[in-house]
Amino acid sequence: MPVAFKIRVLAWPEALPLARPVREQVFVVEQRVPLELEWDEWDELSDHAVARDSKGQAIGTARLLPDGRIGRMAVLGEWRRRGVGAALLEALLEQARKRSMRRITLHAQAHAAGFYRRFGFNERGGEFLEAGIPHVEMTLELFPARE
């Protein structure tokens, strides 16, 4: 049975009510990231990919910052390993191509580095802590959008 979800890239005013509960569940509740570290000034300036199930409920989100960084990738537990994260990442990579971005960077949680490697990301430098969680910086050189 196919897994039914849809991805849309939204500006923050539209993304906020959808992304907030997903990010708070994944980062604040599950990973114990302090609430004040979760919300920042970059949300308003970023493009947000939001995944919704067949009932319209938000199940995942990620953001693309104006400088080509991808971050805040979060998928609800029951939807992990079902293609949602991959679809969110693909949507933001396509958005980056449309914006003529040449290089994408992200701070991957160390356990998720393999996920990003499958999309062509390469690690740069060693592990570091962010919000108390081991991360690694990863980059991807982008080619222009396919017409």
Side-chain angles (χ1 to χ4, degrees), residues 2-116:
V3 179
F5 61 87
K6 284 194 168 74
I7 308 282
R8 284 190 52 214
V9 177
L10 306 168
W12 186 234
E14 201 178 348
L16 170 64
L18 300 165
R20 181 179 292 263
V22 173
R23 282 171 48 182
E24 288 186 353
Q25 173 61 36
V26 172
F27 296 125
V28 179
V29 176
E30 290 177 26
Q31 299 183 351
R32 296 186 170 85
V33 171
L35 193 58
E36 61 273 12
L37 289 182
E38 179 52 31
W39 304 108
D40 62 27
E41 68 280 4
W42 290 108
D43 279 319
E44 290 176 30
L45 305 169
S46 299
D47 293 320
H48 297 264
V50 177
R52 296 163 101 170
D53 67 14
S54 58
K55 297 183 184 96
Q57 293 294 309
I59 58 171
T61 186
R63 72 182 184 184
L64 173 66
L65 282 69
D67 66 359
R69 282 183 293 156
I70 287 178
R72 300 304 199 270
M73 170 87 74
V75 176
L76 294 180
E78 61 271 23
W79 283 91
R80 290 179 199 147
R81 294 175 185 34
R82 294 170 72 180
V84 177
L88 287 166
L89 186 58
E90 291 281 9
L92 289 183
L93 291 176
E94 193 54 37
Q95 184 73 4
R97 286 184 191 97
K98 286 179 188 166
R99 293 191 179 281
S100 302
M101 294 176 174
R102 303 301 305 204
R103 172 182 285 156
I104 299 301
T105 61
L106 54 82
H107 290 173
Q109 291 188 8
H111 69 84
F115 168 81
Y116 295 104

